[in-house]
Amino acid sequence: MNKTLTPRRGSDRPRRTPRGTVPVRPLQGRLSFLARPRTLVVCLVLALTGVLTLAVSVSVGDYEVPLAAVPGAILGYGEHLDVFFVQGTRLPRALTAVGVGAALGVAGAVFQSLSRNALGSPDIIGFTSGAASGAVAVILVFGAGRLGISLGAVVGGLATAAAVYLLAMKNGVQGYRLVLVGIGISAMLSSVRDYLMTRAELTDALGAQIWMIGSLNGRGWAEVVAVWAAFVLLGGVLFALGRRLRFMELGEDTARGLGVDTRGTQIIAFATASALTGAAIAVAGPIGFVALAAPQLARRLTRSGGTTLAGAAAMGATLLVVADLVAMRALAPTQLPVGVVTAVIGGTYLIWLLYTEWRGGRA
Amino acid sequence: MSTTGHDDTRLNGHGLTLAYDQRVISRDLGVSIPDSSFTVIVGPNACGKSTLLRALSRTLKPADGQVHLDGKAIDTYPAKEVARRLGLLPQSSVAPEGIGVADLISRGRYPHQGFLRQWSAEDEAVLADAMEATGVTDLADRSVDELSGGQRQRVWLAMVLAQQTPLLLLDEPTTYLDIAHQMDVLDLCADLHHNRGHTLVAVLHDLNHAARYATHLVVMKDGAIVAQGAPSEVVTAGLVEEVFGLPVRVVPDPETETPMIVPVDRRPQRA
């Protein structure tokens, strides 16, 4: 009896680390964590792809800037016109795409973690719809400008998030309840939007319609600063919660059993991710499917068996930069709103996701 | 049973009123888990046995009354401190898609880790030990998705074991398993109790399994505890009929001599 209460002592103790991880212990083990080389490589490859795409999207257009001249132009050297186009319009637009994409990727990953459901992204659970309704109401009722629209989007999004959270909450938030309540609220909001549209002047309605597709056209340095500040601030909070979010994916009772403050994590993460989504939508309109697809693609590429916020951010940023390049050049000189491109890419992905999950018997 | 007097067991609850929102499951419930016991809670469906386990593991906050862990009210401990003393395997565990076996088990180390110390050499040794104790060492590099139900339950047990808690609370650990894997999991539980000195509390469905493996049996009906004690004293034909509404004979288990119930044949006599 009582053979072993604690594991064997000494250097012959067998040890284990999970597959695909490498323990890192600097400072004599005072600091220790598990590194995932595969995740690191995926993030680096995505970042490289993003940077290259960004360079291309800055160089092409009606006025071509040679690729070799791009780095100089970014720093303000070279041909006057090169610098004008790169610094004045193309670079801020591309950097906005990076910020918005990263923000949507992280926020989507957090929502999916909390709901333990790939469909638990802000697109599906009504957040995007709420933000769009807020913005459209501001456009049509008050005839507001861009700042007002952004404000309307944030307020609409947060109000919807709060409503969905409260309605879906009963002894904690359950994934399917969140998704179903969100879909219901989405449908209601979209009918309100449709009603407002029928009452509006044609030009106003057209403007609102275009805003709702989501676009990066004409975004400048103010938008870059806004979305990057939101990403650093709110994204920082979410990254700090990242470890706990991975435990939330085991189920709420299990996470609690392991000593995770589930309720606090849920509320802070939900509110912060909502605010981050709001910031992204305020800057670029409700760009669809990035928040849904980026975290899922990232977790499949990293094979990490759970959400990786860094992967989701890198994937979101790269996806949006690529989509925006396609939007600008696919039908040039006509510029598509980037939301059209992400919807095509994301829609295809969503169908594939549902198809494989149904076949796997998970949905 | 409403006494809130001195109780020196490591885990106990007194005067508990347990409810989900307005729906009251139990009123004025008192229970003590004997130290070093393998306690099994049994009773008919919806009798409140899982609810009691949830209260004991602070997953459900009692509407009234208090659960005590090591002499202090359980809700006065920091969450991680409880998780270092008491491990819980709930029914609702979800393995994230594609997670590896060792990765999932390593999550059990969370209460011993901090923001700066996320994976120590000690964690590695405990992980190896938990896998060895549950016989899943060979599965370490597989995905949890690929495992059979029985293997998966061993992996979850390994995760809870990696918490290194003296107390282990298991909510229906044998549900959804076939008979061979049920015995497999119960043998493993008996091993953890007997050879590694854990105090176990499990909710089980099968009365015969409970009578064979438990050292202390808690029988519940309609949210109340109707009997508790050693299975040989508690399991009688009268009690089973009272609690489950099923006429039975109680005979000694031919393998273990523990009480075994055999339902009375109620079909009309055939010629």
Side-chain angles (χ1 to χ4, degrees), chain A residues 263-305:
Chain A
R263 197 53 59 87
T265 305
Q266 221 170 47
I267 291 172
I268 296 173
F270 200 92
T272 311
S274 298
L276 187 56
T277 314
I281 293 179
V283 164
I287 294 174
F289 289 110
V290 175
L292 176 74
Q296 293 295 319
L297 290 171
R299 81 186 272 174
R300 275 167 181 76
L301 284 179
T302 57
R303 295 198 200 134
S304 64

Side-chain angles (χ1 to χ4, degrees), chain B residues 9-177:
Chain B
T9 56
R10 298 195 70 167
L11 182 64
N12 59 73
H14 291 288
L16 300 177
T17 297
L18 307 178
Y20 294 106
D21 292 328
Q22 302 303 316
R23 197 161 56 90
V24 175
I25 309 290
S26 294
R27 250 181 238 288
D28 202 17
L29 197 63
V31 66
S32 301
I33 306 301
D35 292 353
S36 305
S37 68
F38 185 167
T39 296
V40 175
I41 308 173
V42 291
N45 290 337
C47 69
K49 48 191 193 294
S50 287
T51 307
L52 174 58
L53 196 81
R54 289 181 54 125
L56 289 175
S57 64
R58 59 81 174 81
T59 316
L60 177 73
K61 191 176 163 50
D64 197 14
Q66 190 56 260
V67 171
H68 282 86
L69 174 65
D70 291 330
K72 265 171 60 184
I74 199 166
D75 57 11
T76 59
Y77 288 94
K80 274 191 175 181
E81 180 62 36
V82 175
R84 284 194 288 267
R85 295 166 188 252
L86 179 155
L88 169 70
L89 180 59
Q91 277 183 63
S92 57
S93 300
V94 195
E97 196 185 337
I99 194 171
V101 167
D103 191 358
L104 183 60
I105 299 171
S106 74
R107 305 292 180 94
R109 298 301 297 156
Y110 181 76
H112 300 275
Q113 295 164 341
F115 190 70
L116 299 178
R117 275 199 44 210
Q118 299 193 354
W119 190 252
S120 64
E122 176 71 13
D123 293 331
E124 282 178 18
V126 176
L127 174 59
D129 185 61
M131 290 199 292
E132 196 189 312
T134 50
V136 296
T137 306
D138 294 341
L139 305 175
D141 291 334
R142 304 263 299 273
S143 283
V144 177
D145 300 334
E146 306 166 6
L147 304 184
S148 73
Q151 289 172 326
R152 208 172 292 185
Q153 198 62 321
R154 283 175 166 273
V155 169
W156 282 113
L157 274 167
M159 186 198 81
V160 179
L161 214 53
Q163 273 177 262
Q164 291 186 298
T165 58
L167 285 153
L168 294 176
L169 273 55
L170 316 170
D171 196 356
E172 303 208 15
T174 56
T175 313
Y176 307 124
L177 299 180

Side-chain angles (χ1 to χ4, degrees), chain A residues 11-216:
Chain A
S11 54
D12 64 327
R13 283 168 79 185
R15 291 179 176 196
R16 263 287 184 182
T17 46
R19 73 173 175 201
T21 64
V22 177
V24 181
R25 300 201 183 90
L27 309 173
Q28 281 97 47
R30 268 190 292 259
L31 209 69
S32 68
F33 59 95
L34 278 178
R36 295 172 185 272
R38 195 186 164 94
T39 305
L40 203 66
V41 169
V42 167
C43 287
L44 284 177
V45 169
L46 284 172
L48 201 65
T49 314
V51 168
L52 288 177
T53 315
L54 189 134
V56 171
S57 72
V58 165
S59 89
V60 298
D62 292 339
Y63 176 85
E64 292 269 348
V65 179
L67 211 50
V70 166
I74 287 176
L75 297 172
Y77 300 108
E79 296 266 345
H80 182 69
L81 265 183
D82 287 3
V83 176
F84 173 79
F85 272 106
V86 168
Q87 281 196 342
T89 59
R90 293 182 189 169
L91 187 62
R93 176 185 178 135
L95 288 179
T96 305
V98 171
V100 168
L104 288 175
V106 168
V110 170
F111 282 117
Q112 289 173 354
S113 256
L114 288 176
S115 65
R116 289 185 291 282
N117 193 319
L119 294 178
S121 84
D123 308 286
I124 309 280
I125 63 172
F127 188 96
T128 309
S129 187
S133 298
V136 168
V138 168
I139 294 172
L140 298 184
V141 179
F142 303 108
R146 190 171 277 176
L147 190 68
I149 296 172
S150 300
L151 216 63
V154 172
V155 170
L158 289 179
T160 312
V164 170
Y165 185 81
L166 290 176
L167 285 172
M169 193 179 71
K170 184 180 179 251
N171 306 318
V173 168
Q174 242 127 67
Y176 262 91
R177 211 153 47 199
L178 197 69
V179 172
L180 291 176
V181 168
I183 288 174
I185 289 195
S186 258
M188 278 165 51
L189 287 170
S190 109
S191 65
V192 171
R193 271 201 313 274
D194 288 345
Y195 171 75
L196 285 175
M197 290 285 196
T198 60
R199 308 281 300 174
E201 297 286 337
L202 193 60
T203 47
D204 285 351
L206 201 64
Q209 194 69 50
I210 287 170
W211 185 87
M212 275 202 309
I213 302 169
S215 171
L216 294 163

Side-chain angles (χ1 to χ4, degrees), chain A residues 330-347:
Chain A
L331 298 178
T334 309
Q335 295 218 343
L336 290 172
V338 69
V340 172
V341 179
T342 57
V344 171
I345 299 173

